[in-house]
Amino acid sequence: MTKQSRGAEGSRDRRAQPRSPDPHWRTALTAIEPNKILIRGYPVDELMGRLDFGEAVYLLLRGELPSPSIGKLMGAVLVSSLDHGVTPPSTLASRNVATTGTSLQACVAAGILGFGPYHGGDIESCMRFLDTGLGLVRNGMTYEEAAHEVVEAYLEAPPPGFGHRIHTQDPRTARLFQMAHELELDGEHIRMIGSVERVLNRRHGNDGTQRIPINVDGAIAAVCADLGFDPAQGNALFIISRVTGLVGHALEEQSRQTPMRQIDPKDLIYDGPADRRLPETRK
Amino acid sequence: MTKQSRGAEGSRDRRAQPRSPDPHWRTALTAIEPNKILIRGYPVDELMGRLDFGEAVYLLLRGELPSPSIGKLMGAVLVSSLDHGVTPPSTLASRNVATTGTSLQACVAAGILGFGPYHGGDIESCMRFLDTGLGLVRNGMTYEEAAHEVVEAYLEAPPPGFGHRIHTQDPRTARLFQMAHELELDGEHIRMIGSVERVLNRRHGNDGTQRIPINVDGAIAAVCADLGFDPAQGNALFIISRVTGLVGHALEEQSRQTPMRQIDPKDLIYDGPADRRLPETRK
Amino acid sequence: MTKQSRGAEGSRDRRAQPRSPDPHWRTALTAIEPNKILIRGYPVDELMGRLDFGEAVYLLLRGELPSPSIGKLMGAVLVSSLDHGVTPPSTLASRNVATTGTSLQACVAAGILGFGPYHGGDIESCMRFLDTGLGLVRNGMTYEEAAHEVVEAYLEAPPPGFGHRIHTQDPRTARLFQMAHELELDGEHIRMIGSVERVLNRRHGNDGTQRIPINVDGAIAAVCADLGFDPAQGNALFIISRVTGLVGHALEEQSRQTPMRQIDPKDLIYDGPADRRLPETRK
Amino acid sequence: MTKQSRGAEGSRDRRAQPRSPDPHWRTALTAIEPNKILIRGYPVDELMGRLDFGEAVYLLLRGELPSPSIGKLMGAVLVSSLDHGVTPPSTLASRNVATTGTSLQACVAAGILGFGPYHGGDIESCMRFLDTGLGLVRNGMTYEEAAHEVVEAYLEAPPPGFGHRIHTQDPRTARLFQMAHELELDGEHIRMIGSVERVLNRRHGNDGTQRIPINVDGAIAAVCADLGFDPAQGNALFIISRVTGLVGHALEEQSRQTPMRQIDPKDLIYDGPADRRLPETRK
């Protein structure tokens, strides 16, 4: 449901509603009592050291413990979006706030506000897009027919989850699909996005234009939809993950650069470790 | 260095500085090239599925891979602060923004802005407080003498990292210290905060006032300082962790409650799963 | 253009675009040189004391000086939305952030994030709604016919700009329309919203339901559209105005209440000045 | 009181306090009843068209109507900070958020978060700095002696309210002091900042370093302190004023530039109106 339609449907309630006689409201997330914190019913101190963070995120958002395979895939999704250097405008927003000497909280909040429709907000819309295709499949179309149908609206521009400013073959996409496959967690959404990619690129192959790859938002959308996440939760995992990158850039800005500088994203030198591989023991 | 002093020391530079002739600036976090994303030198797709999120956070913020023990403790720190129900004002800020029907990003950003000095901002100040005590130890005092010295400034109020509105024995604190001990990662900061606790509560025992426990901020501060985190990074882990709770509450608000409601934190009913334990296989 | 359609249309550019060979970008707002600040070409020090704030806002957003009548109406629009007590969730978000002891900036930013689609975001959508009606008028319908047509989509809920949780006859609405009329600044948008109100309430009169008044968002939308503001600028004036209310509540929270309190919007006592009138000299 | 000391003093209350038996809290700003909105006791519809925005801001923040002179000076303070082009990092933060296609609210909130200690946050600290000097005057020093005393702490850097990255003679400063003088609203704070400027620049004249002027933050600090504003309110007027600039830049970014661009603050071309003067009728 778009903002537009929610606004219209919800507005009677919102504008004319009498105050409810029952003032109670409900939560199913976390119960707090003195010396007791229950996350979805589990004592948080029992979770500590026994769930990794990705598993705990899954528990809080979904209500139940993930299987080990799901926990592993959740972790990979979170790691995939950790940081993307200083190229995203959200990171530059954080850096511009950080240079004024303010708190880490303010820097991170400003960065999150830069996860707009053109950046980071594609996961939710890609999940809805894939669901539209799967609705057609359920009504009798083949995946390929459904893919043809849903890409029709995107003659001028790629559908959500496709194309990237920098990467033509996003390494995160391939890795996520490989892991979903190996963990036997790939389902109809991954199949659907694959069909869309084939249809799209047959079209592009024919008219000589550039190949349009599935980007990392598309891969996360398909993987998480197959894990049963709701589209409304789609952007959640990206936010949770990328906050770490925003923290890293804000701290680096305040420790390495002079305050109140004018930040030009092009005049950057990377001076971190050179390309290296994980030690064999970590593979 | 406080904001105040930074302001004063930094201000000559800031107000009168000529534009630097060298426009370059530097980052050591992440290198981006077409089809290549290197986090601290490691290809992100190689990290996916091989590091859990806590380990990846450590890598990004510290620059090197954590040992397995450190990775495990990092995970526990992140899980410890995942959510604290609707009692924190930051969560209520997120809920109040969510009830207006806006984006998840806006809800989360507003919540982060509520991690103020009285809430969530104690980790950094507790790390500095413990470092003050350890400075005295390095100059020849015993831990107990140093603890006596540093609590002097806190006759009216507990030092940072002590006391909680709700918990007198925070279950997260005990668990973090136990894990640090078992993983052989406890060091001088944990020893220092223990000395402070003993000194504080001997004082309180004598005059009959209430016992003042180490709270979870204090425990995270001591554990992370022993892991080598800088005080400026102190609040970072709390932000990264609690963002998940903010996401959970914002999504729950928009899916379960009517828009534009007036949120009274007292009229809440918890209707999630009852108290339960991890299955034996997860322990 | 909705976010959705912008996303689709914009996405080819965004995802596949090569870096532009011309790095320059353009602004027409403010020129800065040493010891010189030109707002839309005028030296800011010449504007100080000669334009009131409403006139200066108009100049910055529209590019030219307002006539005295327009300046007066701009001022009234800005004063109309100054504050609405603690009833709006945006104000409660600011208060919840303020109770954590953080900066005024953080409190205000959190409040602005609570100007969601259900609150404060109606001005833009009402401007677009009225433009839809006026499009029909331009194609030959009478205002009444057009009003009938456009309210069709809002059988379940009032259109944007109509209805209020608290006020059945919003005093700000009447005053804005009266001023626009007296200053001879009322045009087709005010006429259109009047037609919609009549059509709506004839419908509601017949079936015995509650009268649905034009709310202050609707009045601002109609008045500003008649002044030539673009719908994309619609929410701007509300934001600029209400920031003052957010500032007032954040400062009052931090000076009058204890930190870290749990804020229940219902348990409030107003202890300010009693109902009073402007002195004759100010009328 | 600094954050640090508030934290310490407030922390006993905050951490151990029992829930208050009296749940009521108080506000003196705005009373809301059906069809009635009283700002500090005055019906808002009576204020509309009779107070300009600067006067209304004064009423809300201070509780009483300003005199016409004070109203005029308030207006000049608000106009002075309206916009400063794209040079401030706060504006660049707003622009970076705007390029992601998100809401005006998110763009403005991100910009406000960039009013850090090095930018926009100087007004409050300058007010405290001047109060320190005036405390010495009240204890018997001359203004010049007090100025000597208070600048001692700022050998390395100018005190708050002095120096600017771009302007050596800020035109806004001169205009504000001139208006305060002509309106007979200049008092001890303006006198104090003048003494400090003389002492500072005698020092700088002697050792051949650059003259350090009072900047616009210092001028606003002195003027507003003489109007009786509290230091805690110091940054409020800057926030209220500059929000307009943030709105202007966010709207311009989204209407004139391509989405997801990389914003380099140096590659900017101003293409607005050339230098022009107010018509004689507006002077």
Side-chain angles (χ1 to χ4, degrees), chain A residues 3 6 8 11-12 14-15 117-118 122 156-159 162-165, chain C residues 3 6 8 11-12 14-15 113 118 122 156-159 162-165:
Chain A
K3 270 163 111 176
R6 278 174 65 189
S11 54
R12 176 63 158 282
R14 108 177 101 131
R15 296 191 190 105
Y118 293 123
D122 248 9
E156 297 300 311
F162 284 84
H164 195 278
R165 287 173 302 139
Chain C
K3 271 162 107 176
R6 277 175 66 188
S11 53
R12 177 62 160 281
R14 108 175 102 129
R15 295 192 191 104
L113 295 175
Y118 294 123
D122 248 8
E156 296 299 310
F162 284 83
H164 196 280
R165 287 173 301 138

mmCIF file of all heavy atoms in Angstrom, chain A residues 3 6 8 11-12 14-15 117-118 122 156-159 162-165, chain C residues 3 6 8 11-12 14-15 113 118 122 156-159 162-165:
data_model
loop_
_atom_site.group_PDB
_atom_site.id
_atom_site.type_symbol
_atom_site.label_atom_id
_atom_site.label_comp_id
_atom_site.label_asym_id
_atom_site.label_seq_id
_atom_site.Cartn_x
_atom_site.Cartn_y
_atom_site.Cartn_z
ATOM 1 N N LYS A 3 2.012 5.292 0.299
ATOM 2 C CA LYS A 3 1.684 6.374 1.225
ATOM 3 C C LYS A 3 0.378 7.043 0.811
ATOM 4 O O LYS A 3 -0.487 7.304 1.630
ATOM 5 C CB LYS A 3 2.786 7.432 1.186
ATOM 6 C CG LYS A 3 3.899 7.197 2.190
ATOM 7 C CD LYS A 3 5.107 8.004 1.802
ATOM 8 C CE LYS A 3 5.339 9.131 2.791
ATOM 9 N NZ LYS A 3 6.561 9.868 2.489
ATOM 10 N N ARG A 6 -2.628 4.905 1.640
ATOM 11 C CA ARG A 6 -2.827 4.851 3.083
ATOM 12 C C ARG A 6 -3.417 6.145 3.591
ATOM 13 O O ARG A 6 -4.300 6.160 4.415
ATOM 14 C CB ARG A 6 -1.495 4.633 3.812
ATOM 15 C CG ARG A 6 -1.070 3.204 3.842
ATOM 16 C CD ARG A 6 0.288 3.067 4.440
ATOM 17 N NE ARG A 6 0.308 3.460 5.840
ATOM 18 C CZ ARG A 6 1.415 3.598 6.539
ATOM 19 N NH1 ARG A 6 2.571 3.396 5.967
ATOM 20 N NH2 ARG A 6 1.369 3.936 7.799
ATOM 21 N N ALA A 8 -5.318 8.233 2.088
ATOM 22 C CA ALA A 8 -6.735 8.348 1.782
ATOM 23 C C ALA A 8 -7.562 7.400 2.641
ATOM 24 O O ALA A 8 -8.512 7.805 3.299
ATOM 25 C CB ALA A 8 -6.957 8.056 0.304
ATOM 26 N N SER A 11 -7.675 8.273 6.440
ATOM 27 C CA SER A 11 -7.900 9.634 6.894
ATOM 28 C C SER A 11 -9.212 9.801 7.662
ATOM 29 O O SER A 11 -9.304 10.659 8.516
ATOM 30 C CB SER A 11 -7.829 10.600 5.724
ATOM 31 O OG SER A 11 -8.706 10.187 4.713
ATOM 32 N N ARG A 12 -10.207 8.992 7.360
ATOM 33 C CA ARG A 12 -11.434 9.119 8.141
ATOM 34 C C ARG A 12 -11.110 8.878 9.610
ATOM 35 O O ARG A 12 -11.401 9.691 10.475
ATOM 36 C CB ARG A 12 -12.475 8.113 7.645
ATOM 37 C CG ARG A 12 -13.763 8.109 8.456
ATOM 38 C CD ARG A 12 -14.470 9.468 8.350
ATOM 39 N NE ARG A 12 -15.875 9.364 8.652
ATOM 40 C CZ ARG A 12 -16.802 8.906 7.830
ATOM 41 N NH1 ARG A 12 -16.472 8.495 6.622
ATOM 42 N NH2 ARG A 12 -18.077 8.862 8.176
ATOM 43 N N ARG A 14 -8.334 9.034 11.105
ATOM 44 C CA ARG A 14 -7.388 9.958 11.695
ATOM 45 C C ARG A 14 -8.019 11.280 12.051
ATOM 46 O O ARG A 14 -7.689 11.915 13.034
ATOM 47 C CB ARG A 14 -6.237 10.157 10.722
ATOM 48 C CG ARG A 14 -6.200 11.491 10.030
ATOM 49 C CD ARG A 14 -4.989 11.601 9.150
ATOM 50 N NE ARG A 14 -5.339 11.365 7.786
ATOM 51 C CZ ARG A 14 -4.968 12.176 6.798
ATOM 52 N NH1 ARG A 14 -4.240 13.235 7.053
ATOM 53 N NH2 ARG A 14 -5.308 11.921 5.574
ATOM 54 N N ARG A 15 -8.904 11.764 11.193
ATOM 55 C CA ARG A 15 -9.348 13.137 11.384
ATOM 56 C C ARG A 15 -10.576 13.251 12.266
ATOM 57 O O ARG A 15 -10.766 14.222 12.952
ATOM 58 C CB ARG A 15 -9.636 13.770 10.022
ATOM 59 C CG ARG A 15 -8.379 13.882 9.174
ATOM 60 C CD ARG A 15 -8.618 14.746 7.971
ATOM 61 N NE ARG A 15 -7.470 14.634 7.063
ATOM 62 C CZ ARG A 15 -7.485 13.939 5.933
ATOM 63 N NH1 ARG A 15 -8.563 13.281 5.568
ATOM 64 N NH2 ARG A 15 -6.417 13.897 5.180
ATOM 65 N N PRO A 117 14.319 7.032 -1.629
ATOM 66 C CA PRO A 117 13.788 6.137 -2.664
ATOM 67 C C PRO A 117 14.831 5.744 -3.709
ATOM 68 O O PRO A 117 14.760 4.670 -4.280
ATOM 69 C CB PRO A 117 12.681 6.963 -3.315
ATOM 70 C CG PRO A 117 12.311 7.983 -2.322
ATOM 71 C CD PRO A 117 13.529 8.243 -1.474
ATOM 72 N N TYR A 118 15.798 6.642 -3.974
ATOM 73 C CA TYR A 118 16.811 6.310 -4.977
ATOM 74 C C TYR A 118 17.991 5.560 -4.387
ATOM 75 O O TYR A 118 18.975 5.305 -5.071
ATOM 76 C CB TYR A 118 17.355 7.591 -5.631
ATOM 77 C CG TYR A 118 16.345 8.316 -6.455
ATOM 78 C CD1 TYR A 118 16.031 9.642 -6.196
ATOM 79 C CD2 TYR A 118 15.689 7.677 -7.499
ATOM 80 C CE1 TYR A 118 15.099 10.321 -6.961
ATOM 81 C CE2 TYR A 118 14.751 8.349 -8.259
ATOM 82 C CZ TYR A 118 14.463 9.663 -7.988
ATOM 83 O OH TYR A 118 13.544 10.323 -8.747
ATOM 84 N N ASP A 122 15.105 0.570 -2.213
ATOM 85 C CA ASP A 122 14.650 -0.282 -3.309
ATOM 86 C C ASP A 122 14.226 -1.679 -2.848
ATOM 87 O O ASP A 122 13.541 -2.381 -3.592
ATOM 88 C CB ASP A 122 15.762 -0.434 -4.349
ATOM 89 C CG ASP A 122 15.402 0.244 -5.653
ATOM 90 O OD1 ASP A 122 14.383 0.957 -5.673
ATOM 91 O OD2 ASP A 122 16.129 0.070 -6.635
ATOM 92 N N GLU A 156 11.512 2.409 -19.849
ATOM 93 C CA GLU A 156 12.452 3.529 -19.770
ATOM 94 C C GLU A 156 13.535 3.309 -18.725
ATOM 95 O O GLU A 156 14.610 3.870 -18.800
ATOM 96 C CB GLU A 156 11.698 4.829 -19.446
ATOM 97 C CG GLU A 156 10.700 5.243 -20.513
ATOM 98 C CD GLU A 156 11.402 5.480 -21.849
ATOM 99 O OE1 GLU A 156 12.408 6.206 -21.841
ATOM 100 O OE2 GLU A 156 10.959 4.916 -22.867
ATOM 101 N N ALA A 157 13.187 2.550 -17.728
ATOM 102 C CA ALA A 157 14.096 2.419 -16.588
ATOM 103 C C ALA A 157 14.029 0.996 -16.078
ATOM 104 O O ALA A 157 13.014 0.318 -16.255
ATOM 105 C CB ALA A 157 13.669 3.378 -15.487
ATOM 106 N N PRO A 158 15.111 0.519 -15.472
ATOM 107 C CA PRO A 158 15.055 -0.844 -14.947
ATOM 108 C C PRO A 158 14.096 -0.939 -13.758
ATOM 109 O O PRO A 158 13.856 0.056 -13.082
ATOM 110 C CB PRO A 158 16.498 -1.114 -14.514
ATOM 111 C CG PRO A 158 17.174 0.193 -14.437
ATOM 112 C CD PRO A 158 16.406 1.169 -15.262
ATOM 113 N N PRO A 159 13.553 -2.117 -13.521
ATOM 114 C CA PRO A 159 12.681 -2.290 -12.355
ATOM 115 C C PRO A 159 13.488 -2.186 -11.062
ATOM 116 O O PRO A 159 14.725 -2.249 -11.092
ATOM 117 C CB PRO A 159 12.118 -3.705 -12.527
ATOM 118 C CG PRO A 159 12.784 -4.314 -13.693
ATOM 119 C CD PRO A 159 13.740 -3.351 -14.286
ATOM 120 N N PHE A 162 17.298 -3.667 -9.911
ATOM 121 C CA PHE A 162 18.157 -3.882 -11.093
ATOM 122 C C PHE A 162 18.978 -2.633 -11.390
ATOM 123 O O PHE A 162 18.495 -1.511 -11.267
ATOM 124 C CB PHE A 162 17.304 -4.237 -12.309
ATOM 125 C CG PHE A 162 16.802 -5.648 -12.284
ATOM 126 C CD1 PHE A 162 15.645 -5.969 -11.573
ATOM 127 C CD2 PHE A 162 17.505 -6.665 -12.926
ATOM 128 C CE1 PHE A 162 15.191 -7.288 -11.522
ATOM 129 C CE2 PHE A 162 17.049 -7.976 -12.876
ATOM 130 C CZ PHE A 162 15.894 -8.289 -12.178
ATOM 131 N N GLY A 163 20.211 -2.839 -11.817
ATOM 132 C CA GLY A 163 21.090 -1.742 -12.220
ATOM 133 C C GLY A 163 21.840 -1.149 -11.039
ATOM 134 O O GLY A 163 21.372 -1.180 -9.897
ATOM 135 N N HIS A 164 23.037 -0.642 -11.291
ATOM 136 C CA HIS A 164 23.834 -0.020 -10.231
ATOM 137 C C HIS A 164 24.715 1.050 -10.854
ATOM 138 O O HIS A 164 25.167 0.910 -11.982
ATOM 139 C CB HIS A 164 24.705 -1.065 -9.513
ATOM 140 C CG HIS A 164 25.252 -0.573 -8.206
ATOM 141 N ND1 HIS A 164 26.372 0.219 -8.112
ATOM 142 C CD2 HIS A 164 24.810 -0.757 -6.931
ATOM 143 C CE1 HIS A 164 26.608 0.492 -6.830
ATOM 144 N NE2 HIS A 164 25.684 -0.080 -6.091
ATOM 145 N N ARG A 165 24.939 2.132 -10.124
ATOM 146 C CA ARG A 165 25.762 3.220 -10.646
ATOM 147 C C ARG A 165 27.195 2.775 -10.919
ATOM 148 O O ARG A 165 27.876 3.311 -11.775
ATOM 149 C CB ARG A 165 25.805 4.385 -9.646
ATOM 150 C CG ARG A 165 24.521 5.190 -9.566
ATOM 151 C CD ARG A 165 24.620 6.194 -8.418
ATOM 152 N NE ARG A 165 24.868 5.503 -7.172
ATOM 153 C CZ ARG A 165 25.713 5.909 -6.227
ATOM 154 N NH1 ARG A 165 26.409 7.008 -6.400
ATOM 155 N NH2 ARG A 165 25.869 5.220 -5.120
ATOM 156 N N LYS C 3 6.321 9.447 -5.440
ATOM 157 C CA LYS C 3 7.613 8.801 -5.234
ATOM 158 C C LYS C 3 7.753 7.587 -6.142
ATOM 159 O O LYS C 3 8.759 7.370 -6.773
ATOM 160 C CB LYS C 3 7.733 8.318 -3.779
ATOM 161 C CG LYS C 3 8.304 9.361 -2.845
ATOM 162 C CD LYS C 3 8.001 9.003 -1.426
ATOM 163 C CE LYS C 3 9.237 8.519 -0.716
ATOM 164 N NZ LYS C 3 9.002 8.250 0.695
ATOM 165 N N ARG C 6 8.343 8.604 -9.749
ATOM 166 C CA ARG C 6 9.686 9.166 -9.876
ATOM 167 C C ARG C 6 10.727 8.068 -9.830
ATOM 168 O O ARG C 6 11.678 8.077 -10.574
ATOM 169 C CB ARG C 6 9.974 10.144 -8.734
ATOM 170 C CG ARG C 6 9.439 11.521 -8.980
ATOM 171 C CD ARG C 6 9.660 12.367 -7.766
ATOM 172 N NE ARG C 6 11.069 12.601 -7.524
ATOM 173 C CZ ARG C 6 11.530 13.178 -6.431
ATOM 174 N NH1 ARG C 6 10.692 13.534 -5.484
ATOM 175 N NH2 ARG C 6 12.812 13.378 -6.272
ATOM 176 N N ALA C 8 10.484 4.994 -10.716
ATOM 177 C CA ALA C 8 10.555 4.250 -11.963
ATOM 178 C C ALA C 8 11.197 5.084 -13.073
ATOM 179 O O ALA C 8 12.140 4.652 -13.715
ATOM 180 C CB ALA C 8 9.158 3.803 -12.376
ATOM 181 N N SER C 11 14.937 5.825 -12.595
ATOM 182 C CA SER C 11 15.885 4.792 -12.215
ATOM 183 C C SER C 11 16.893 4.465 -13.314
ATOM 184 O O SER C 11 18.004 4.078 -13.034
ATOM 185 C CB SER C 11 15.143 3.541 -11.770
ATOM 186 O OG SER C 11 14.229 3.147 -12.761
ATOM 187 N N ARG C 12 16.542 4.642 -14.570
ATOM 188 C CA ARG C 12 17.533 4.410 -15.617
ATOM 189 C C ARG C 12 18.721 5.325 -15.407
ATOM 190 O O ARG C 12 19.853 4.895 -15.276
ATOM 191 C CB ARG C 12 16.895 4.658 -16.996
ATOM 192 C CG ARG C 12 17.866 4.510 -18.153
ATOM 193 C CD ARG C 12 18.411 3.087 -18.230
ATOM 194 N NE ARG C 12 18.944 2.780 -19.536
ATOM 195 C CZ ARG C 12 18.209 2.464 -20.605
ATOM 196 N NH1 ARG C 12 16.888 2.434 -20.529
ATOM 197 N NH2 ARG C 12 18.775 2.169 -21.751
ATOM 198 N N ARG C 14 19.556 6.907 -12.767
ATOM 199 C CA ARG C 14 20.244 6.744 -11.503
ATOM 200 C C ARG C 14 21.162 5.559 -11.491
ATOM 201 O O ARG C 14 22.222 5.573 -10.894
ATOM 202 C CB ARG C 14 19.198 6.621 -10.398
ATOM 203 C CG ARG C 14 19.046 5.265 -9.797
ATOM 204 C CD ARG C 14 18.090 5.302 -8.647
ATOM 205 N NE ARG C 14 16.808 4.772 -9.056
ATOM 206 C CZ ARG C 14 16.175 3.839 -8.390
ATOM 207 N NH1 ARG C 14 16.680 3.376 -7.285
ATOM 208 N NH2 ARG C 14 15.025 3.386 -8.807
ATOM 209 N N ARG C 15 20.741 4.465 -12.135
ATOM 210 C CA ARG C 15 21.507 3.242 -11.943
ATOM 211 C C ARG C 15 22.615 3.074 -12.982
ATOM 212 O O ARG C 15 23.635 2.505 -12.716
ATOM 213 C CB ARG C 15 20.580 2.030 -11.970
ATOM 214 C CG ARG C 15 19.601 2.042 -10.797
ATOM 215 C CD ARG C 15 18.893 0.726 -10.669
ATOM 216 N NE ARG C 15 17.787 0.847 -9.712
ATOM 217 C CZ ARG C 15 16.519 0.928 -10.047
ATOM 218 N NH1 ARG C 15 16.164 0.900 -11.308
ATOM 219 N NH2 ARG C 15 15.583 1.038 -9.128
ATOM 220 N N LEU C 113 10.678 15.026 11.924
ATOM 221 C CA LEU C 113 10.496 13.699 11.322
ATOM 222 C C LEU C 113 9.092 13.156 11.600
ATOM 223 O O LEU C 113 8.643 12.235 10.925
ATOM 224 C CB LEU C 113 11.575 12.738 11.834
ATOM 225 C CG LEU C 113 12.988 13.135 11.392
ATOM 226 C CD1 LEU C 113 14.034 12.233 12.027
ATOM 227 C CD2 LEU C 113 13.107 13.091 9.871
ATOM 228 N N TYR C 118 0.138 11.503 7.870
ATOM 229 C CA TYR C 118 -1.099 11.732 8.629
ATOM 230 C C TYR C 118 -1.073 13.031 9.413
ATOM 231 O O TYR C 118 -1.978 13.309 10.177
ATOM 232 C CB TYR C 118 -1.339 10.578 9.620
ATOM 233 C CG TYR C 118 -1.604 9.263 8.974
ATOM 234 C CD1 TYR C 118 -0.824 8.156 9.254
ATOM 235 C CD2 TYR C 118 -2.664 9.119 8.083
ATOM 236 C CE1 TYR C 118 -1.074 6.930 8.661
ATOM 237 C CE2 TYR C 118 -2.925 7.907 7.484
ATOM 238 C CZ TYR C 118 -2.121 6.818 7.772
ATOM 239 O OH TYR C 118 -2.369 5.616 7.181
ATOM 240 N N ASP C 122 -0.357 17.038 4.814
ATOM 241 C CA ASP C 122 -1.570 17.135 4.004
ATOM 242 C C ASP C 122 -1.575 18.330 3.061
ATOM 243 O O ASP C 122 -2.358 18.367 2.119
ATOM 244 C CB ASP C 122 -2.789 17.248 4.928
ATOM 245 C CG ASP C 122 -3.651 16.013 4.850
ATOM 246 O OD1 ASP C 122 -3.225 15.030 4.217
ATOM 247 O OD2 ASP C 122 -4.757 16.036 5.402
ATOM 248 N N GLU C 156 -14.920 6.824 1.741
ATOM 249 C CA GLU C 156 -14.644 6.260 3.069
ATOM 250 C C GLU C 156 -13.972 7.276 3.988
ATOM 251 O O GLU C 156 -14.053 7.170 5.208
ATOM 252 C CB GLU C 156 -13.705 5.048 2.925
ATOM 253 C CG GLU C 156 -14.301 3.902 2.146
ATOM 254 C CD GLU C 156 -15.548 3.373 2.826
ATOM 255 O OE1 GLU C 156 -15.479 3.112 4.031
ATOM 256 O OE2 GLU C 156 -16.593 3.259 2.148
ATOM 257 N N ALA C 157 -13.297 8.216 3.412
ATOM 258 C CA ALA C 157 -12.479 9.125 4.215
ATOM 259 C C ALA C 157 -12.547 10.501 3.581
ATOM 260 O O ALA C 157 -12.767 10.628 2.373
ATOM 261 C CB ALA C 157 -11.042 8.639 4.232
ATOM 262 N N PRO C 158 -12.381 11.548 4.383
ATOM 263 C CA PRO C 158 -12.392 12.887 3.791
ATOM 264 C C PRO C 158 -11.162 13.106 2.920
ATOM 265 O O PRO C 158 -10.131 12.475 3.125
ATOM 266 C CB PRO C 158 -12.372 13.821 5.006
ATOM 267 C CG PRO C 158 -11.965 13.008 6.168
ATOM 268 C CD PRO C 158 -12.202 11.565 5.836
ATOM 269 N N PRO C 159 -11.282 13.993 1.933
ATOM 270 C CA PRO C 159 -10.107 14.301 1.106
ATOM 271 C C PRO C 159 -9.048 15.044 1.923
ATOM 272 O O PRO C 159 -9.334 15.533 3.015
ATOM 273 C CB PRO C 159 -10.672 15.207 0.006
ATOM 274 C CG PRO C 159 -12.071 15.490 0.336
ATOM 275 C CD PRO C 159 -12.460 14.761 1.566
ATOM 276 N N PHE C 162 -9.315 18.160 4.795
ATOM 277 C CA PHE C 162 -10.630 18.154 5.443
ATOM 278 C C PHE C 162 -10.612 17.290 6.703
ATOM 279 O O PHE C 162 -9.997 16.227 6.718
ATOM 280 C CB PHE C 162 -11.693 17.635 4.484
ATOM 281 C CG PHE C 162 -12.093 18.637 3.448
ATOM 282 C CD1 PHE C 162 -11.336 18.798 2.291
ATOM 283 C CD2 PHE C 162 -13.195 19.459 3.636
ATOM 284 C CE1 PHE C 162 -11.680 19.742 1.331
ATOM 285 C CE2 PHE C 162 -13.552 20.409 2.690
ATOM 286 C CZ PHE C 162 -12.793 20.547 1.532
ATOM 287 N N GLY C 163 -11.315 17.744 7.734
ATOM 288 C CA GLY C 163 -11.455 16.975 8.969
ATOM 289 C C GLY C 163 -10.322 17.240 9.934
ATOM 290 O O GLY C 163 -9.188 17.542 9.528
ATOM 291 N N HIS C 164 -10.589 17.153 11.226
ATOM 292 C CA HIS C 164 -9.568 17.369 12.248
ATOM 293 C C HIS C 164 -9.934 16.546 13.473
ATOM 294 O O HIS C 164 -11.109 16.370 13.782
ATOM 295 C CB HIS C 164 -9.494 18.863 12.616
ATOM 296 C CG HIS C 164 -8.230 19.217 13.366
ATOM 297 N ND1 HIS C 164 -8.080 18.988 14.712
ATOM 298 C CD2 HIS C 164 -7.071 19.775 12.926
ATOM 299 C CE1 HIS C 164 -6.858 19.394 15.082
ATOM 300 N NE2 HIS C 164 -6.230 19.876 14.021
ATOM 301 N N ARG C 165 -8.912 16.041 14.153
ATOM 302 C CA ARG C 165 -9.166 15.223 15.343
ATOM 303 C C ARG C 165 -9.856 16.006 16.449
ATOM 304 O O ARG C 165 -10.581 15.464 17.259
ATOM 305 C CB ARG C 165 -7.841 14.675 15.892
ATOM 306 C CG ARG C 165 -7.215 13.572 15.064
ATOM 307 C CD ARG C 165 -5.843 13.243 15.606
ATOM 308 N NE ARG C 165 -4.996 14.420 15.584
ATOM 309 C CZ ARG C 165 -4.159 14.803 16.537
ATOM 310 N NH1 ARG C 165 -4.034 14.085 17.640
ATOM 311 N NH2 ARG C 165 -3.419 15.883 16.418
#
